Amino acid sequence: MTSFLKTPSLMAPFFIDKLCVVIPMKSPKRSKQRLVGSLSDTARESLSLTLFENTLAFFQRHFPMLDVLVVSESLDVLALAQTYEANTLFDDGENGLNGALDFACDWVKKTGYDSMLIVPSDIAMLDPAEFVALMSAANDASVVIAVAKDGGTNALLTSPPDAIQFEYGCDSASAHQANALNNRLACRSLHLRNLALDIDQGDDLNVAVTRQPERFKAWRDTGSSLMKKTLIKERHYA
């Protein structure tokens, strides 16, 4: 099956062949541990869920022709994903992120997809044009990496899904590139402004506030009464 890509704001003249978007998501109670000291426990959990729901809404609105798979240890997270018509896969989390992605990759392959796009659930600002660029790069590369600001991997497109071993962690973009080269696969690394920014630490939140203060300032100002209002508004962001 081949899907022609269209978005409300963009017309992308290329084809996506059997691509599945995979979004891994921890239990919100265990998410954003590096924001301890910057946000309260309640705010960290709420921020995690809000960013996750924003990601689901983004793909539903801008790329409705793409199937989405959410893999998580949280039944609540999986239930939320199903309200956005996403496929869901329970993973107990014992083998960490790479283990969960191996499990998801196996499902993607068995279901018949030719390509897999891994997208984290905590990108601050999602831009359809950047995803068009990412998927366009797959026309001449088996592995496409959106490099995070700290050298990590903030999106990874692999064709076939198991083209390389997943090595998320410190400096994972270089590790994924090396794995592609070792497997003699064409690889492209992209530095995309918005996809480079996930919210892991207080400094990330400060950058997000600078770029979109109307969305993120209340998260940083945890004592503000605006926080509760933002929780409601953010859930409807697409």
Side-chain angles (χ1 to χ4, degrees), residues 2-5 12-19 66 135-136 138-139:
T2 302
S3 301
F4 189 70
L5 176 62
F14 66 91
F15 289 86
I16 304 169
D17 189 24
K18 292 186 178 179
L19 172 67
L66 294 181
M135 290 183 273
S136 296
N139 288 332

Side-chain angles (χ1 to χ4, degrees), residues 21-144:
V21 177
V22 173
I23 304 172
M25 175 67 179
K26 287 181 181 179
S27 168
K29 294 183 183 299
R30 297 200 307 110
S31 298
K32 304 297 164 205
Q33 293 300 311
R34 284 183 283 180
L35 283 172
V36 172
S38 298
L39 295 177
S40 68
D41 291 347
T42 300
R44 285 189 290 108
E45 184 175 345
S46 296
L47 176 60
S48 176
L49 278 171
T50 295
L51 292 172
F52 172 61
E53 193 166 358
N54 288 345
T55 303
L56 292 170
F58 171 84
F59 281 102
Q60 188 177 65
R61 177 180 178 182
H62 295 284
F63 300 96
M65 72 296 297
L66 294 181
D67 291 333
V68 173
L69 172 68
V70 173
V71 56
S72 179
E73 63 189 319
S74 168
L75 295 179
D76 289 338
V77 163
L78 298 180
L80 176 59
Q82 289 169 4
T83 68
Y84 286 87
E85 301 180 346
N87 298 293
T88 56
L89 191 63
F90 176 78
D91 177 79
D92 60 17
E94 289 186 1
N95 295 317
L97 175 58
N98 291 314
L101 291 174
D102 286 337
F103 188 34
C105 182
D106 187 58
W107 183 93
V108 169
K109 286 168 47 188
K110 289 180 178 178
T111 308
Y113 296 97
D114 292 336
S115 303
M116 180 168 75
L117 172 59
I118 300 169
V119 180
S121 62
D122 61 350
I123 301 298
M125 287 156 281
L126 296 163
D127 181 354
E130 292 188 346
F131 282 92
V132 170
L134 191 73
M135 290 183 273
S136 296
N139 288 332
D140 55 15
S142 295
V143 177
V144 183

Side-chain angles (χ1 to χ4, degrees), residues 1 40 44 50 63 81 130 137 143 149 151 175 181 191-192 194 203 206 209 216 221 233:
M1 179 181 71
S40 68
R44 285 189 290 108
T50 295
F63 300 96
E130 292 188 346
V143 177
K149 64 194 178 308
L181 295 177
H191 297 267
L192 301 169
N194 291 315
D203 288 346
N206 290 334
V209 169
F216 291 102
D221 302 339
K233 292 180 181 178

